[in-house]
Amino acid sequence: MREIEVFQVDAFTEEPFSGNPAGVVIDGGDLPRDLRQRIAREMNCSETAFVFRYERDRFRIQYHTPEAEVDLCGHATIAALHLLRERQDIVGDIVAETRAGILPMRIDEEGPVWMRQAEPKFREVPDDARVALLQALGLGEDEIPSDLPFALASTGIWQVMVPVKSRDALFALTPDTLRLREVSRRLGAICVHVYALDPAHPSAVAVARDFAPAVGVAEDPHTGTAAGALACLLAHRGAVPAGEMAFEQGANLGRPGLILARVEAGPPMRAWVGGHAVTMLRGEMRVAK
């Protein structure tokens, strides 16, 4: 038997049992894909990150949900960066090779850790998909603010951004998961990210919920990739100014936290996503050699 050190880290929070739990293997470079997938299924977090260190400031990070490998994951990256600082004393600027590209990241000696996402891309939601999305979410067209973007956005992975009029309306959603999975996959989107611009947290610009049944996650408490893409979309459409912002997420699931973002207007436009994290669990998983 082989023993693999595994961690569970709550990302986008400074409080235990909050934020979004991610699995992390910080010495996972030689693990074959099928074993990584089995470990992610066993960890049963929305995502597990597997880190391999090429040299002092260059890494590879691979991401798995319990069902599939995905190109990028924000909260699992924040969890991994936090652990590299905490367990291996790594600080400063690094780069990480991901399936979404080679991304700069920053680990300061204390405070939040940061990842830069890929250059943003946007596209419109086709009319038939818009109708299907609203039906899956249980929303009417009159419940969508006309002055906020309803669009696809990507800073490494495609996600659908759907605005609603209020935090109360957001928290009242009970999506049809099977229908949402079908339309998400048809659009090539990893998730449907629903947001409102009336957060309770005083420093946040928006509050959001994230539904990712396309990759086996009914609802994710915190989504760094979606926060970065939403920040860019809002800035691109003029709904909020570029610069520093934060996003509230997870309170409806009993896991409140805050995702930090920084949008550089460019050109080209760039998004950084950051946050705090708390290590919750360390153990050894036994697998066949």
Side-chain angles (χ1 to χ4, degrees):
M1 300 292 288
R2 176 182 177 182
E3 294 183 343
I4 297 171
E5 191 173 35
V6 296
F7 296 84
Q8 184 170 307
V9 176
D10 287 351
F12 297 122
T13 183
E14 296 182 80
E15 299 293 331
F17 305 108
S18 300
N20 197 356
V24 183
V25 178
I26 55 174
D27 188 20
D30 65 339
L31 302 179
R33 186 179 186 278
D34 63 333
L35 179 55
R36 296 197 310 268
Q37 188 61 63
R38 291 200 299 270
I39 291 171
R41 188 179 303 119
E42 191 73 14
M43 292 294 291
N44 204 33
C45 297
S46 56
E47 277 91 5
T48 296
F50 297 84
V51 183
F52 176 69
R53 185 176 183 176
Y54 291 117
E55 49 193 78
R56 190 200 68 80
D57 59 354
R58 191 174 183 88
F59 296 80
R60 182 179 71 229
I61 308 180
Q62 296 161 300
Y63 308 90
H64 288 257
T65 76
E67 287 192 5
E69 185 173 7
V70 294
D71 293 349
L72 187 65
C73 173
H75 85 276
T77 302
I78 297 302
L81 297 177
H82 160 81
L83 275 180
L84 289 175
R85 177 173 62 191
E86 182 179 83
R87 304 292 301 181
Q88 298 188 357
D89 296 321
I90 294 172
V91 296
D93 294 318
I94 67 169
V95 293
E97 174 189 312
T98 75
R99 296 207 317 184
I102 296 175
L103 303 177
M105 303 185 183
R106 181 162 186 82
I107 308 172
D108 291 327
E109 291 187 2
E110 56 184 23
V113 294
W114 294 86
M115 63 175 293
R116 198 181 82 184
Q117 298 183 342
E119 186 174 338
K121 301 175 183 178
F122 313 108
R123 56 187 172 96
E124 297 303 316
V125 177
D127 290 344
D128 60 336
R130 182 182 177 111
V131 170
L133 283 166
L134 293 180
Q135 290 175 344
L137 291 167
L139 291 169
E141 191 66 52
D142 61 342
E143 297 174 270
I144 304 302
S146 59
D147 59 339
L148 293 176
F150 185 146
L152 284 147
S154 171
T155 49
I157 50 178
W158 285 105
Q159 297 158 98
V160 187
M161 305 298 169
V162 180
V164 292
K165 290 183 176 179
S166 70
R167 176 188 176 92
D168 289 343
L170 178 70
F171 283 10
L173 292 176
T174 55
D176 182 328
T177 300
L178 292 178
R179 295 178 75 179
L180 209 58
R181 180 176 65 183
E182 188 277 330
V183 69
S184 297
R185 289 179 174 176
R186 180 152 45 98
L187 289 168
I190 199 170
C191 68
V192 177
H193 198 68
V194 189
Y195 70 95
L197 297 192
D198 63 342
H201 198 286
S203 67
V205 299
V207 54
R209 293 176 67 185
D210 192 270
F211 306 103
V215 290
V217 180
E219 182 170 359
D220 208 6
H222 292 266
T223 43
T225 52
L230 178 58
C232 289
L233 179 64
L234 292 173
H236 176 69
R237 296 288 183 89
V240 301
E244 306 281 343
M245 58 188 84
F247 295 88
E248 174 192 329
Q249 203 175 330
N252 64 300
L253 298 176
R255 302 195 67 94
L258 203 63
I259 303 171
L260 307 178
R262 183 169 65 247
V263 176
E264 300 169 355
M269 180 178 280
R270 299 287 191 189
W272 290 81
V273 170
H276 298 272
V278 181
T279 304
M280 296 297 296
L281 179 150
R282 177 175 61 87
E284 292 178 342
M285 189 175 290
R286 295 180 177 179
V287 301
K289 289 186 178 179

